[in-house]
């Protein structure tokens, strides 16, 4: 039987376009923009749109150019295969170089399992292969005369033969071996199933033969190829990581002007109310400086070396950057800049900002949810004297709502928190307020970080309950990486949560022993430095405090675990203990890296999380018959003392009811 409250919510949702416009599929298929690059003559700006498709399970990429004056529509150059992503599952931004005469755009692209260079004239007549060999092109540059310099990895055939040889002769376990990951072709690398190894003493990974010699080649404008000279090879040197930019890297007068304005010198460890340096960009003799606050809202300032003054150029409720990351610079073209703008309720779009600060939309590849019946608002509160903040997305319906919380960072367009696993707008469309909390700055001691996170969650829950917005008795939480650690700390150190979902493994003895061995010494050093723990034999009390697996008796909320296969074995004890106690279940995604990136895997994670929190926070089930078995499983999850009454309730539940009760 449907309750009167549930019926009211259902009718309101039906009357609003939110339920039909905000879905897990639409969120999973949100397009991104990257690769902004201005032609040498300042006439054109190139950019790339990445379009995930759950139908094809690809992230297709298309390149465009737009005139710098912004007076004509963008021109499509064509599709260049699918997106590349790194070992952590983060899509790599578009890589493009202009020919010196500004007549051709050359891009690195993954086409048919081959990373090569493709070139298109500006008339949009199509891309043609510009450089590529038996191995993947890993980096490229152009000389002043238009020659293409490339760094090419080992041949794909050699990699495959090396992988087969390892399989046949046995794999030596050393400091590069990831025992938690399938050792033979356990990852997707450049569109191919391939073997992977640790590339340092933490969890960065690289393909087999990553340390093998590379081939450096120069291809002339006439098409002939030769070995690159030493001078040409220097063009391929990696550029400084833009995330590491500090005020001390800037000219002294600009540095002083920013620091006099209170800009944080170090980015981390600063007071929450101080602005941080995002990026800098030369523009027509001046410099554009981007700052962001603790909520990742960006402001652009223009610095004139003549007047030595900083003047506000533009601002956004979210990001103004060169892509998904706040630290990627926009592109300058003449007296204007082109930026990717994105905010909590604003999907990525390309905008042009002129010298006077006027903003004009150039390209909008996404649906803009301005009439979906949802409210997105930034909220600020205090935690033990420190400023905490987050973004709350909720439906425009009366009454106290269940609350879902995710914790870490809330930058740009909010799809699913860090890692994009929890469909925040879909949760809100189904009557669950969704809150993304920015990690509260402060002491980096392990206990302090977790306690500060839990305190922030408890404080904001109380605040929202006092405002009559949420029901404190119906709170769920999910997280990835550090966000998952805070989630599990809350699950084991409070009774606030009624349902939990995590996408990353947790600290437990198996996590340590999978990694501590000769060649991985820095792993043990990091565990001691960050978590204050030696080996489980040396410091059992520290592991007892840290490990959810060793504290499952304190967990009262059911746990949904959706892990990438390359990490899942690190938490085998947690998976098994929760399953044995009938307190949770695990789903493992083959080939998935730390951040799930394949569109279908992303959609599956979104859908299961949506079903999970509707079930536990609202007593709702999806009537799709294909999902009946998951609800049968979930109905049996509960602390031992509550399971008997829960099972009695479930016996009276209709299999097609919207509610469990």
């Amino acid at each position: 039987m449907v309750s009167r409250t549930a019926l009211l919510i259902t009718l309101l949702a039906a009357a609003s376009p939110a339920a039909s416009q905000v879905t897990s599929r639409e969120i999973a298929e949100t397009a991104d923009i990257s690769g902004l690059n201005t032609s040498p003559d300042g006439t054109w700006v190139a950019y790339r749109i990445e379009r995930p498709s759950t139908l094809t399970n690809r992230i297709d990429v298309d390149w465009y150019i737009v005139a710098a004056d912004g007076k004509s529509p963008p021109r499509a150059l064509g599709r260049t295969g699918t997106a590349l992503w790194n070992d952590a599952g983060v899509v790599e931004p578009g890589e493009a170089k202009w020919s010196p005469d500004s007549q051709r755009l050359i891009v690195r692209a993954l086409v048919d399992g081959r990373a090569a260079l493709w070139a298109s004239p500006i008339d949009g007549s199509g891309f043609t292969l510009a450089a590529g060999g038996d191995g993947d092109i890993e980096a490229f540059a152009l000389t002043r005369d238009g020659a293409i310099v490339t760094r090419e990895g080992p041949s794909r055939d050699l990699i495959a033969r090396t992988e087969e040889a390892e399989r046949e002769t046995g794999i030596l376990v050393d400091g590069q071996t990831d025992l938690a990951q399938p050792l033979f072709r356990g990852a997707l690398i450049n569109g191919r199933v391939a073997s992977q190894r640790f590339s340092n003493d933490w969890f960065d990974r690289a393909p087999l033969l990553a340390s093998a010699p590379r081939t450096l080649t120069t291809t002339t404008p006439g098409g002939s190829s030769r070995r690159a000279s030493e001078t040409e090879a220097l063009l391929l040197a990696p550029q400084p990581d833009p995330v590491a930019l500090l005020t001390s890297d800037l000219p002294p007068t600009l540095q002083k002007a920013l620091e006099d304005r209170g800009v944080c010198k170090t980015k981390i460890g600063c007071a929450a109310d101080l602005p941080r340096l995002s990026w800098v960009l030369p523009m027509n003799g001046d410099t554009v400086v981007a700052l962001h606050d603790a909520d990742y809202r960006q402001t652009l300032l223009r610095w004139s070396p003549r007047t030595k003054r900083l003047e506000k150029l533009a601002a956004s409720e979210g990001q103004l950057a060169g892509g998904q990351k706040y630290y990627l610079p926009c592109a300058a073209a003449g007296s204007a800049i082109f930026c990717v703008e994105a905010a909590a309720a604003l999907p990525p779009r390309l905008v042009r900002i002129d010298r006077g600060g006027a903003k004009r939309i150039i390209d909008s590849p996404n649906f803009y949810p301005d009439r979906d019946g949802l409210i997105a608002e930034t909220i600020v509160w205090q935690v033990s004297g420190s400023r905490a903040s987050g973004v709350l997305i909720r439906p425009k319906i009366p009454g106290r709502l269940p609350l879902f919380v995710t914790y870490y960072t809330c930058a740009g367009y909010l799809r699913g928190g860090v890692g994009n696993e929890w469909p925040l707008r879909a949760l809100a469309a189904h009557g669950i307020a969704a809150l993304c909390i920015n990690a509260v700055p402060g002491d980096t001691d392990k206990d302090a970080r977790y306690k500060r996170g839990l305190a922030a969650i408890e404080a904001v829950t109380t605040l929202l309950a006092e405002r009559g917005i949420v029901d404190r008795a119906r709170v769920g939480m999910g997280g990835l990486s550090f966000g998952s650690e805070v989630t599990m700390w809350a699950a084991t150190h409070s009774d606030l949560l009624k349902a939990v979902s995590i996408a990353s493994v947790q600290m437990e003895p198996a996590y340590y022993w999978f990694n501590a061995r000769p060649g991985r010494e820095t792993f043990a050093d990091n565990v001691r430095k960050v978590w204050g723990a030696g080996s489980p034999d040396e410091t059992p009390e520290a592991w007892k405090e840290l490990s959810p697996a060793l504290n499952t008796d304190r967990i009262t909320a059911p746990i949904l675990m959706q892990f990438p296969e390359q990490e899942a074995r690190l938490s085998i004890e947690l998976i098994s203990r929760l399953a044995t106690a009938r307190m949770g279940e695990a789903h493992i995604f083959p080939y998935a890296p730390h951040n799930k990136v394949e569109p279908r895997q992303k959609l599956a994670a979104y859908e299961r999380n949506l079903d999970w929190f509707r079930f536990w926070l609202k007593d709702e089930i999806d009537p799709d018959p294909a999902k009946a078995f998951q609800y049968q499983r979930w109905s049996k999850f509960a602390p031992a003392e509550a399971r008997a009454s829960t099972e009695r309730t479930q016996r009276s539940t209709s299999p097609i009811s919207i509610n469990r009760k």
Side-chain angles (χ1 to χ4, degrees):
M1 186 172 116
V2 180
S3 68
R4 293 180 63 184
T5 301
L7 180 60
L8 174 61
I9 292 174
T10 301
L11 292 173
L12 286 168
S16 164
S20 61
Q21 295 176 351
V22 182
T23 68
S24 296
R25 185 180 301 276
E26 288 170 340
I27 298 171
E29 293 183 341
T30 300
D32 283 294
I33 303 173
S34 70
L36 277 61
N37 197 313
T38 305
S39 62
D41 64 4
T43 301
W44 301 98
V45 174
Y47 62 96
R48 191 182 81 172
I49 296 180
E50 298 115 30
R51 293 184 171 91
S53 169
T54 57
L55 178 64
T56 63
N57 202 31
R58 296 196 309 261
I59 304 174
D60 293 316
V61 295
D62 299 276
W63 281 95
Y64 298 82
I65 58 173
V66 63
D69 62 14
K71 294 180 179 179
S72 57
R75 179 183 300 170
L77 298 185
R79 176 158 295 177
T80 54
T82 57
L84 292 149
W85 56 76
N86 64 19
D87 64 295
V90 177
V91 171
E92 295 181 357
E95 298 174 75
K97 311 284 184 185
W98 284 92
S99 61
D101 61 3
S102 300
Q103 296 303 300
R104 284 201 314 161
L105 186 73
I106 301 159
V107 304
R108 189 169 81 100
L110 178 64
V111 180
D112 296 330
R114 176 192 191 195
L117 302 184
W118 296 76
S120 170
I122 59 174
D123 63 9
S125 56
F127 279 97
T128 57
L129 185 67
D134 294 331
D136 287 334
I137 300 295
E138 298 173 339
F140 75 106
L142 265 66
T143 65
R144 291 183 177 179
D145 63 358
I148 303 173
V149 185
T150 60
R151 185 179 73 236
E152 183 178 328
S155 74
R156 290 175 288 276
D157 180 63
L158 176 60
I159 293 173
R161 286 188 280 111
T162 304
E163 291 169 343
E164 285 288 351
E166 278 199 333
R167 183 183 67 82
E168 293 167 354
T169 61
I171 297 170
L172 173 67
V173 177
D174 59 15
Q176 292 184 310
T177 312
D178 183 0
L179 293 175
Q181 181 180 23
L183 299 183
F184 178 70
R185 296 177 180 167
L188 286 175
I189 302 174
N190 292 353
R192 303 186 304 276
V193 178
S195 297
Q196 204 173 49
R197 297 290 182 267
F198 286 132
S199 59
N200 61 19
D201 291 312
W202 197 234
F203 288 101
D204 290 342
R205 297 170 173 89
L208 212 60
L209 301 184
S211 60
R214 267 37 188 174
T215 301
L216 305 183
T217 303
T218 297
T219 303
T220 67
S224 62
S225 297
R226 56 173 171 78
R227 184 184 297 275
S229 68
E230 291 186 8
T231 301
E232 292 167 337
L234 291 176
L235 298 174
L236 300 175
Q239 298 300 305
D241 190 339
V243 73
L245 181 69
L246 300 175
T247 56
S248 57
D249 298 317
L250 306 179
T253 52
L254 178 54
Q255 175 187 349
K256 184 177 186 304
L258 289 170
E259 293 177 357
D260 287 348
R261 198 183 182 95
V263 174
C264 176
K265 298 180 182 180
T266 59
K267 288 191 180 179
I268 59 174
C270 297
D273 58 346
L274 293 182
R276 278 89 164 149
L277 179 63
S278 305
W279 50 263
V280 297
L281 179 70
M283 185 189 76
N284 203 27
D286 293 343
T287 299
V288 177
V289 180
L291 306 177
H292 64 276
D293 62 14
D295 304 321
Y296 296 94
R297 294 175 294 197
Q298 289 188 291
T299 299
L300 307 187
L301 307 174
R302 189 174 67 243
W303 163 259
S304 169
R306 297 175 297 280
T307 64
K308 303 293 190 297
R309 293 178 57 189
L310 284 165
E311 297 180 353
K312 183 177 178 180
L313 178 64
S316 173
E317 284 302 302
Q319 293 184 178
L320 288 169
Q324 279 199 59
K325 305 299 184 182
Y326 69 88
Y327 51 78
L328 296 176
C330 298
S335 60
I337 61 171
F338 289 74
C339 300
V340 180
E341 183 178 28
L346 185 69
R349 66 185 185 184
L350 184 66
V351 298
R352 180 183 184 272
I353 303 171
D354 66 22
R355 189 176 182 85
K359 185 190 303 178
R360 185 144 54 95
I361 300 171
I362 298 298
D363 202 338
S364 301
N366 296 292
F367 164 76
Y368 282 79
D370 57 346
R371 293 183 303 276
D372 58 10
L374 302 182
I375 301 170
E377 58 181 323
T378 297
I379 55 176
V380 178
W381 66 101
Q382 292 292 312
V383 182
S384 302
S386 297
R387 179 186 186 275
S389 67
V391 176
L392 180 68
I393 304 174
R394 58 189 174 96
K396 299 175 182 177
I397 60 176
R400 294 180 181 272
L401 303 170
L403 176 67
F404 169 79
V405 178
T406 188
Y407 184 91
Y408 205 165
T409 59
C410 312
Y413 180 54
L414 288 186
R415 297 166 228 198
V418 170
N420 286 331
E421 297 248 350
W422 299 269
L424 302 181
R425 301 189 72 83
L427 286 164
H430 282 278
I432 300 173
L435 174 64
C436 180
I437 300 177
N438 292 301
V440 182
D443 188 358
T444 58
D445 175 78
K446 61 175 176 57
D447 282 357
R449 290 184 299 139
Y450 298 147
K451 291 176 180 177
R452 190 164 55 245
L454 176 56
I457 297 160
E458 292 178 327
V460 73
T461 301
T462 299
L463 173 66
L464 294 174
E466 290 174 348
R467 288 173 55 184
I469 295 174
V470 305
D471 179 357
R472 187 179 172 85
R474 294 183 292 165
V475 179
M477 187 172 178
L480 173 81
S481 203
F482 174 60
S484 75
E485 296 173 40
V486 174
T487 298
M488 292 307 296
W489 184 271
T492 55
H493 289 77
S494 78
D495 59 1
L496 175 65
L497 304 182
K498 303 308 175 188
V500 169
S501 166
I502 57 174
S504 314
V505 298
Q506 303 298 300
M507 295 289 288
E508 64 180 66
Y511 174 91
Y512 186 89
W513 293 120
F514 261 106
N515 288 283
R517 57 184 178 276
R520 294 276 287 160
E521 286 84 4
T522 302
F523 168 82
D525 292 342
N526 284 337
V527 170
R528 189 178 297 276
K529 178 180 178 181
V530 176
W531 287 281
S535 75
D537 295 338
E538 178 187 356
T539 58
E541 67 289 343
W543 287 92
K544 174 61 177 175
E545 180 186 20
L546 284 171
S547 172
L550 302 181
N551 289 281
T552 53
D553 59 320
R554 301 174 64 178
I555 297 174
T556 59
I559 314 288
L560 174 64
M561 295 161 281
Q562 301 199 82
F563 294 156
E565 187 177 8
Q566 70 174 210
E567 298 179 359
R569 293 168 181 83
L570 298 173
S571 277
I572 188 62
E573 191 170 353
L574 179 64
I575 293 171
S576 297
R577 283 179 179 270
L578 289 174
T580 301
R582 295 168 70 181
M583 282 296 293
E585 69 181 24
H587 298 258
I588 297 175
F589 290 77
Y591 302 127
H594 187 58
N595 296 269
K596 299 178 186 69
V597 65
E598 289 187 79
R600 287 178 188 162
Q601 290 191 344
K602 188 78 75 178
L603 176 60
Y606 277 151
E607 279 291 286
R608 191 171 289 118
N609 276 320
L610 178 61
D611 291 344
W612 180 258
F613 288 104
R614 288 180 65 196
F615 183 79
W616 291 108
L617 301 184
K618 295 191 68 186
D619 293 337
E620 289 183 359
I621 68 171
D622 189 323
D624 182 354
K627 296 182 178 181
F629 184 50
Q630 79 174 5
Y631 294 114
Q632 292 173 18
R633 297 194 310 270
W634 297 351
S635 67
K636 299 175 183 177
F637 296 164
E641 63 273 15
R643 194 175 300 133
S645 61
T646 300
E647 291 175 347
R648 285 194 298 273
T649 300
Q650 293 307 311
R651 284 196 290 272
S652 65
T653 302
S654 166
I656 61 171
S657 170
I658 191 173
N659 280 34
R660 284 196 294 132
K661 293 183 179 178

